[in-house]
Amino acid sequence: MEIAILLFIIAVIFVTRALKVVPQQHAWVVERLGKYHGTLTPGLNILVPFVDKVAYKHVLKEIPLDIASQVCITKDNTQLQVDGILYFQVTDAMRASYGSSNYIIAISQLAQTSLRSVIGKLELDKTFEERDIINAQVVAAIDEAALNWGVKVLRYEIKDLTPPKEILHAMQAQITAEREKRALIAASEGRRQEQINIATGEREAFIARSEGEKQAAINQAQGEAASITAVADATAQAIERIAAAIRQPGGEQAVQLKVAEKAVEAYGKVAADSSTTLIIPGNMSEVSALIATAMKMVGSNK
């Protein structure tokens, strides 16, 4: 009975050491008699008991690694407190096992030195503006060396950049001055636009008034022209009627009589006014003949 129990225990030990179940996204490195033998993939795997041994176990998932904060000096000799986070993934379990004694510490140290080197090439203002470039350069520098460790560096992100307090105060003062400058520029642009709008409005009002005065002058001229035309037409019609009347029998005598009456009336008015100087025509025979003709016509009419 005891032998059976002992055999059962030995069998359980053999089965336990021979059968290995590897989880998904994991890789186990197997050594046979102290030498690399192979890498176990996810699922059920069979080993030779007491000959094969699982030496290393690696997680193939993406792993975030917090990089310790450190002081970096920029190109313009300004100190910056920088911390970040690195994302990497084991791609070769064998190299991750034998390429470095501790690839996590190696990646962390390399990330710090690479970050100091990249920031040392930039001025203070550029470090805040070009975070993406800094991240990309750090990843490129680490990834090249991490290939020998079976590790793929996916990305690096700067979490915080903290300059000294004096630099912070200077930056805040610069930002305040820049904002005040933009406010003054905006106010001056507003006043400039206001003056432009006022000038434009006055110009448009002047143009409208001048157009109105022009149209009024045109209308007045057209009215005066129409009035003159109407008077001329009426005068022409009157002259035509007078000419037609003159062409009638006795028309010329009627005209002469009218002229004689007007002449006598005019002379009578002039003679009645004592303050008026009377000018007598040199050829009075013509006047008397005109009056005689007029009297004769009056008599004949009677």
Side-chain angles (χ1 to χ4, degrees), residues 196-245:
I196 291 175
N197 293 338
I198 292 174
T200 302
E202 292 178 352
R203 181 173 64 86
E204 292 178 353
F206 177 77
I207 292 174
R209 287 195 299 269
S210 63
E211 289 292 335
E213 293 174 355
K214 173 184 175 182
Q215 190 61 41
I218 292 173
N219 294 339
Q220 183 179 0
Q222 290 177 350
E224 291 177 355
S227 176
I228 293 172
T229 302
V231 171
D233 291 340
T235 303
Q237 291 179 1
I239 292 174
E240 289 178 357
R241 291 181 180 180
I242 292 172

Side-chain angles (χ1 to χ4, degrees), residues 166-184:
E166 296 79 7
I167 301 297
L168 280 176
H169 292 320
M171 293 173 64
Q172 290 175 354
Q174 182 180 3
I175 292 173
T176 302
E178 188 66 24
R179 289 178 178 175
E180 291 177 353
K181 175 184 175 182
R182 289 199 296 265
L184 291 175

Side-chain angles (χ1 to χ4, degrees), residues 9 28 34 60 70 76 109 117 132 143 220 239 256 289 299:
I9 293 173
W28 293 1
L60 302 182
Q70 62 176 333
D76 49 358
Q109 294 298 320
S117 176
D132 294 339
D143 196 34
Q220 183 179 0
I239 292 174
Q256 294 176 0

